[in-house]
Structures are given as structure tokens and as C-alpha cells.
Amino acid sequence: MKLTVINVDMKYILIFFLLASCLSCKAQTIVPLANNHSDLYHKPNTYTKDVDNEFGKYEGTWKYQNGTTILIIKLQKKVFDFFAEKNYYEDLLIGEYAYIVNGTELINTLDKLNTPQPSTGAYDIYGNRIVHRGIPPICADCLLDEKRVILFIDDPERDYLDNSIILRYKIENGTQKIVAKIYKSGTSIFIPAGATDEMRVPYGEYILTKQP
């Protein structure tokens, strides 16, 4: 009989901790992602959330093609991702890409999206910075209230480079597109001797169309 009582008690204890955990999650202070000037931004016990679902419109497969040059980008929204080092949660955009020239794949990391990675930074496209038109790279023809998204983009064979990609969503004649600008966002300090300081995907602007 004592063993039976202990088992029942343990079930109640387990239920108690599960409920406490859920209540703890709900108690997270929500900080809008677009409000990166908030004093609570990326602070412990907060949830930096994509409250306006800016990331939702970027999800999917996007393709740029100019002659025999093709760039494919796949993006997914990742919600409530836990950043253990600073004890906060956040929403992110993650992705992978392929770059093909004259039928030769110079880069293809798309399969990584099918396998959970050990951390968000293990994806080759990741981040969550939402910015307005005046944040560099400046967008002169963006609307006053238009938002863009800045992400990190890595070349897996040149991980010493510091690169970013800024995305602008637009609809032209009923077709969904993103204007993607890939650029060098910092100075790479530890460049191996004789190594290039350029990504295999050339820096510049690409207009990609949403794929079915």
C-alpha cells in the first residue's frame, strides 16, 4: 500500500511541476521585436516576439534567376526559441540557400532545414532584426512605415566572413517577391593566409520570386 501511495504522490508532484513550468512560460515579459530600443530588449525572463508576424510573409521558397545563375533561399519562422546563455526567448527567421552557376552547384545547404540543428547559429541564414527605411543599407524608396528584416548569412566554407542579408517584402502584379541585398557587415579579423574575403555568392542585390 505504501508503494501505491508514493506513486500517486509522485504523479501529483509531476503535475505540479508541469503546471508551474507552463505558468512560468506564460509569465514571460513580451517585448515586440520591432522595438529594439526597449530597455527590456533581449533581457532575462523576456520573450522577444514577432508580435505583428512580420516573419510570416517571408516563409517559403524564393528563387532568383538571371540566365544560368540561380539563387534559391528557403526561410522558416522559428517561434519561442530559448537563448540559454542570457535566459530569454525570441522569434527568429532561419534559412538555407543554394547558388548555381551554369548548372554547377557552388553552394547547396537546403537539406539542413530538414534536420534540427544544435543551435540557431548552426543555420546558414538566421536572425531577427526588424528595421525601418533609415537603417543602413538605407532604402530610399521604402514607405515611411515599411519594415525590413536583417539576418546573418554564412558561407559554410568561409565561416571567417561576417556577412548579412537584408530582406524587403513586396507584391508586384499579384506576385510575391523579396528584394535581398547580401553585403559584408563587418571586418573579418581571422582571415586565413591567402584566403578570399568574399562569399561564393557575390555581394549585391537579388530579386527573388515566391515559389509554389
Side-chain angles (χ1 to χ4, degrees):
M1 294 295 294
K2 290 183 179 179
L3 289 176
T4 302
V5 172
I6 290 174
N7 288 338
V8 171
D9 288 344
M10 289 302 293
K11 288 179 182 179
Y12 282 116
I13 291 171
L14 178 59
I15 291 171
F16 171 79
F17 279 112
L18 287 172
L19 288 173
S21 176
C22 290
L23 290 173
S24 175
C25 291
K26 292 179 180 178
Q28 297 289 328
T29 301
I30 294 178
V31 182
L33 256 174
N35 187 14
N36 57 13
H37 297 296
S38 168
D39 291 338
L40 294 175
Y41 198 70
H42 284 169
K43 292 297 175 64
N45 300 312
T46 62
Y47 174 20
T48 310
K49 183 176 182 180
D50 177 22
V51 294
D52 297 320
N53 195 28
E54 285 291 326
F55 294 163
K57 59 194 178 189
Y58 291 100
E59 287 192 287
T61 301
W62 306 84
K63 182 178 179 181
Y64 161 89
Q65 183 163 3
N66 182 12
T68 60
T69 299
I70 298 172
L71 174 64
I72 298 172
I73 296 176
K74 287 187 178 181
L75 298 169
Q76 295 177 2
K77 180 174 178 177
K78 190 176 179 66
V79 300
F80 210 60
D81 187 65
F82 183 54
F83 188 67
E85 186 177 340
K86 293 189 177 180
N87 190 32
Y88 66 78
Y89 295 84
E90 61 182 343
D91 291 343
L92 297 130
L93 264 184
I94 59 171
E96 297 296 339
Y97 64 103
Y99 184 61
I100 304 158
V101 178
N102 295 325
T104 301
E105 287 186 347
L106 300 183
I107 303 174
N108 189 346
T109 67
L110 296 173
D111 283 344
K112 287 176 69 174
L113 278 179
N114 299 324
T115 306
Q117 300 300 310
S119 69
T120 299
Y123 294 99
D124 291 297
I125 299 176
Y126 63 97
N128 61 5
R129 190 179 177 202
I130 298 175
V131 298
H132 59 73
R133 57 180 286 177
I135 298 296
I138 293 171
C139 179
D141 62 335
C142 285
L143 301 176
L144 288 176
D145 60 348
E146 187 174 346
K147 297 180 178 68
R148 297 172 294 156
V149 178
I150 297 180
L151 310 172
F152 296 105
I153 180 168
D154 295 332
D155 184 328
E157 289 187 5
R158 302 173 185 178
D159 56 5
Y160 52 85
L161 296 175
D162 189 3
N163 311 302
S164 294
I165 181 171
I166 186 164
L167 305 175
R168 179 191 181 192
Y169 174 86
K170 60 194 303 186
I171 298 178
E172 290 185 348
N173 300 320
T175 301
Q176 297 182 76
K177 298 181 178 181
I178 54 173
V179 180
K181 183 171 184 178
I182 301 174
Y183 60 100
K184 191 177 297 184
S185 54
T187 301
S188 303
I189 300 174
F190 301 107
I191 300 179
T196 180
D197 64 350
E198 302 282 334
M199 285 184 65
R200 284 176 290 170
V201 178
Y203 296 124
E205 187 172 279
Y206 302 85
I207 299 177
L208 299 93
T209 303
K210 183 74 172 287
Q211 301 300 293

